[in-house]
Amino acid sequence: MNDFFQLDNLVMQFGGLTAVKDFSIIIEPGELVGLIGPNGAGKTTVFNMITGFLTPTSGRVLWQGRDITGWPPHAVTAQGIARTFQNIRLFTDMTVLENVMVSFHHTIRSRFWKAMLGLPSHKREEKRIEKEARAFLEELHLGHLADEKAGSLPYGQQRRLEIARALAARPKLLLLDEPAAGMNPQETMELAKLVREIRDRRRLTVFLIEHDMKFVMGLCERIKVLDYGITIAEGSPSEIQRHPDVIKAYLGEPKHA
Amino acid sequence: MDTSTRNALCTILLLAVLAAVLYVFQKHGTEYQIRILNNMAIFITLAVSYNLVNGFCGILHLGPNAFITIGAYTSALLTMSPAEKQLSFIIEPLIWPLSVIQVPFAVSLIAGGIAATFFAFLISFPVFRVRGDYLAIVTLGFGEVVRVLCNAMQSLTNGPLGLKGLTPYTTLWWSWGVAVFTVVVITKLVNSSYGRAMKAIREDETAAKAMGVDPFKHLLLAFLVSAFFSGVAGGLLAHLITTISPTLFTFFLTFNLLIIIVVGGLGSTSGAVIAAALFAWGGEALRVVESPMNLGFITIPGIPGMRMVLFSIILMVVILFARRGIMGRSELSWDRLFTALRLQTKA
């Protein structure tokens, strides 16, 4: 059994509909794993079950030797699993810097009354958070935009900021939900480079959902394919590309005369 | 001189000016002027604390009148002397421990705040299970429940008769002291990491959760802090008007506060302060329109209620031309003021 991260027979049923059926995976530290599948295959549902936004009907989420199934999202994040969202969810009316600083909030030790009275111990923590948040922005080349409103950034930078914000929560496992959606080929390539860089530098483990095949095939070391909630294939990019079930799921069955 | 020293000096200067103004009014002002200034301070306290929940957390909470009521009654019952209580409670005597206790005004204010916080804590569990319109209805219901209970629980609140003849302890120093303290403390909270977490919940609760923010904990914090200051302000109000009864704390009070924070700008403390001051002063200044007017060729008889009409028109104009209120979500600060001044001199 693996101690790092394991999903054990996750099932998610919405009424009579089974969105995900018996999803299992073991991820080793430092891996870059992709999750692909046609629309509605249940990929985001898997992410939602990991991060506590959905409680699985059955099955377990095991994280560093602990069963974290059904923990509330904020507790999962505090344990070291952070995520981004498919449809960008920034705090649009807050500045870029503030967006990242929110992720540090769960590390803050001084109590609220210290904040209300403006005690020096709290001020020191605020200073530390701001400094570290700025460092994250620099790392993702967003430093010059620190005081802009998040909502006013162009699309590609909003995606980047989402990643910065998730990284600032200090995860060991980073879940990226369609990070390249809506990006042009140039931006997609840069993003792939960035993800690999971050993984190497921070010794992160990355689990990502993506539709862009070139992106996934180029970046991920291992890929899992979902169709109608069922795992139909798992393997290296080249194995996946040749897998008959995958081709069938994406292109439909060949017509026989 | 670096900017933080400059800002601190400016703040001290501003407080000194405020103190001087209050001193002058306390010495030479008419009772009417002092009353308006007291009202202003109490409304500032109420609006700023209410804005913490509605403006910064983005929650539509419609029950601050409940916490003001609880604070007012608690504080009033604690400052009245046992003899006064015996005289007042003619239908049913006041229940035991309260009937013999009498504490100083300051203690009663804090007790009022704590009582309000306690009730806020009790209802927070059902309240924060829901969001949006549902939350508004739950809090609205709570406000009504408290008012009805005040009418019904004669042995505690003296029912519809209310409490009369309270000592007018509320001076300008008390009301403005509390107002300044509230503004300072809430501004610090809002600008801290806790305040950022609250704003994150307002902007996108799902994303906030994913970034490790526990929404319940932070909404509860805002709700309790807000209830505390509402309770204290309720105590001040009780000892300003010296007579309280359930009819004083209807939904109309909440409605006025809501207007104040919307006009000031939801999520702006300086906006709430400005709007509360304008409301307290404007409400009185507009009284002239209710007196008979002689325009030379035509004489308009005094129409009671005219000032509410004018008030509504002003409200509509503000919302039409500044949809997000006077201040939007921005704040007045020394930095902004000095930047503006520098630009002026350069131009």
Side-chain angles (χ1 to χ4, degrees):
Chain A
M1 200 188 118
N2 152 296
D3 265 357
F4 185 67
F5 180 68
Q6 182 178 2
L7 299 179
D8 181 21
N9 283 311
L10 284 185
V11 176
M12 188 72 230
Q13 283 175 331
F14 298 109
L17 176 85
T18 306
V20 173
K21 196 175 176 213
D22 296 331
F23 187 86
S24 297
I25 193 172
I26 292 177
I27 296 180
E28 302 291 343
E31 265 194 304
L32 232 165
V33 183
L35 181 60
I36 63 170
N39 281 329
K43 304 179 298 288
T44 301
T45 308
V46 170
F47 270 25
N48 283 340
M49 284 190 283
I50 299 172
T51 48
F53 283 99
L54 288 173
T55 305
T57 315
S58 69
R60 293 182 305 163
V61 181
L62 300 170
W63 170 245
Q64 304 199 313
R66 262 190 162 136
D67 187 351
I68 61 163
T69 322
W71 283 28
H74 60 89
V76 174
T77 307
Q79 287 292 315
I81 301 179
R83 69 173 291 180
T84 64
F85 292 91
Q86 187 177 348
N87 40 346
I88 301 180
R89 283 177 169 274
L90 290 171
F91 309 125
T92 43
D93 206 44
M94 295 163 77
T95 67
V96 169
L97 181 66
E98 283 177 319
N99 264 270
V100 176
M101 284 170 82
V102 168
S103 301
F104 284 94
H105 182 62
H106 71 94
T107 68
I108 206 154
R109 254 180 248 108
S110 59
R111 305 301 301 266
F112 71 91
W113 55 269
K114 286 191 179 166
M116 289 173 81
L117 298 175
L119 297 186
S121 66
H122 179 79
K123 278 189 185 157
R124 270 198 300 278
E125 269 198 292
E126 288 280 336
K127 282 226 174 80
R128 167 183 69 86
I129 286 181
E130 191 183 328
K131 211 176 120 202
E132 291 180 32
R134 281 189 194 277
F136 273 99
L137 289 179
E138 290 301 332
E139 191 176 332
L140 290 190
H141 315 295
L142 291 165
H144 58 293
L145 298 168
D147 297 322
E148 299 286 325
K149 286 264 160 78
S152 70
L153 296 189
Y155 187 81
Q157 279 168 336
Q158 291 200 4
R159 282 260 173 230
R160 226 168 238 274
L161 178 55
E162 263 226 330
I163 298 175
R165 195 178 61 172
L167 280 178
R170 296 298 173 89
K172 296 190 191 81
L173 174 65
L174 179 64
L175 307 176
L176 300 173
D177 196 347
E178 297 199 24
M183 285 187 168
N184 62 37
Q186 169 73 22
E187 287 172 323
T188 308
M189 249 170 58
E190 281 172 20
L191 181 72
K193 198 172 138 238
L194 180 78
V195 171
R196 200 176 291 120
E197 259 176 34
I198 294 167
R199 196 267 308 250
D200 294 343
R201 201 173 329 137
R202 304 194 160 270
R203 295 201 194 83
L204 268 179
T205 311
V206 180
F207 188 24
L208 63 87
I209 293 174
E210 189 46 70
H211 268 303
D212 190 315
M213 282 304 145
K214 236 172 114 186
F215 180 84
V216 179
M217 297 298 167
L219 185 64
C220 297
E221 292 144 0
R222 192 149 65 90
I223 294 168
K224 227 172 150 69
V225 190
L226 269 185
D227 191 21
Y228 292 111
I230 298 165
T231 311
I232 56 171
E234 186 177 357
S236 69
S238 55
E239 282 166 2
I240 293 297
Q241 275 165 326
R242 285 188 313 248
H243 201 291
D245 288 347
V246 177
I247 296 167
K248 203 161 73 187
Y250 272 91
L251 300 175
E253 266 186 272
K255 271 187 190 141
H256 294 290
Chain B
M1 185 166 59
D2 68 353
T3 48
S4 63
T5 335
R6 182 200 67 195
N7 292 350
L9 280 177
C10 287
T11 308
I12 291 168
L13 198 69
L14 183 70
L15 288 178
V17 170
L18 178 67
V21 169
L22 292 182
Y23 180 78
V24 168
F25 272 104
Q26 186 85 51
K27 275 261 148 130
H28 308 288
T30 62
E31 209 174 307
Y32 179 58
Q33 288 166 329
I34 292 175
R35 181 66 171 264
I36 293 176
L37 279 174
N38 272 320
N39 269 334
M40 207 180 261
I42 290 172
F43 270 100
I44 287 175
T45 311
L46 289 173
V48 168
S49 57
Y50 187 38
N51 194 31
L52 178 65
V53 176
N54 285 39
F56 289 102
C57 295
I59 291 290
L60 185 55
H61 153 47
L62 293 180
N65 59 329
F67 303 124
I68 302 166
T69 315
I70 293 166
Y73 270 95
T74 311
S75 163
L77 284 171
L78 288 175
T79 57
M80 287 170 86
S81 70
E84 280 172 335
K85 288 179 201 172
Q86 209 163 14
L87 275 177
S88 282
F89 284 71
I90 42 174
I91 301 173
E92 268 183 62
L94 181 59
I95 50 166
W96 169 65
L98 282 172
S99 58
V100 292
I101 299 175
Q102 190 185 12
V103 299
F105 181 49
V107 178
S108 83
L109 284 184
I110 294 170
I114 291 174
T117 314
F118 175 71
F119 278 93
F121 180 73
L122 285 187
I123 68 154
S124 63
F125 293 90
V127 163
F128 290 125
R129 287 186 69 87
V130 289
R131 290 289 184 277
D133 305 351
Y134 303 102
L135 189 146
I137 291 166
V138 175
T139 50
L140 182 71
F142 180 68
E144 265 321 275
V145 167
V146 167
R147 196 180 60 82
V148 170
L149 283 182
C150 281
N151 251 328
M153 290 165 62
Q154 298 213 324
S155 58
L156 188 64
T157 63
N158 207 18
L161 290 178
L163 304 172
K164 292 191 181 67
L166 304 174
T167 319
Y169 286 116
T170 305
T171 61
L172 284 178
W173 301 117
W174 274 112
S175 61
W176 281 91
V178 169
V180 168
F181 181 72
T182 310
V183 170
V184 168
V185 164
I186 288 189
T187 306
K188 283 203 187 296
L189 179 65
V190 162
N191 291 332
S192 76
S193 190
Y194 288 92
R196 263 194 308 276
M198 289 170 193
K199 288 180 221 163
I201 294 169
R202 171 188 73 193
E203 296 292 311
D204 191 325
E205 194 173 331
T206 305
K209 281 192 223 166
M211 297 308 127
V213 174
D214 180 355
F216 179 73
K217 199 173 126 194
H218 290 87
L219 293 178
L220 183 66
L221 174 63
F223 197 55
L224 296 190
V225 169
S226 171
F228 179 82
F229 287 111
S230 300
V232 172
L236 287 171
L237 197 61
H239 293 92
L240 177 68
I241 41 190
T242 68
T243 302
I244 53 171
S245 64
T247 50
L248 198 62
F249 306 104
T250 56
F251 179 69
F252 192 63
L253 181 58
T254 296
F255 181 66
N256 280 342
L257 287 175
L258 196 60
I259 288 178
I260 290 174
I261 61 172
V262 169
V263 167
L266 280 171
S268 166
T269 302
S270 19
V273 171
I274 294 169
L278 284 179
F279 181 85
W281 171 76
E284 295 302 318
L286 287 177
R287 268 187 206 283
V288 285
V289 302
E290 286 182 15
S291 56
M293 273 178 287
N294 190 353
L295 300 176
F297 56 97
I298 187 168
T299 306
I300 304 167
I303 307 166
M306 197 53 196
R307 104 197 130 104
M308 284 324 282
V309 174
L310 206 64
F311 223 83
S312 308
I313 293 173
I314 293 172
L315 180 73
M316 282 188 263
V317 169
V318 169
I319 295 304
L320 272 177
F321 290 98
R323 194 148 300 166
R324 301 179 77 188
I326 299 170
M327 293 298 297
R329 273 180 190 165
S330 44
E331 299 284 356
L332 286 179
S333 71
W334 296 118
D335 288 334
R336 277 182 68 148
L337 184 71
F338 281 103
T339 322
L341 282 177
R342 221 166 289 143
L343 288 179
Q344 283 272 301
T345 44
K346 259 185 207 159

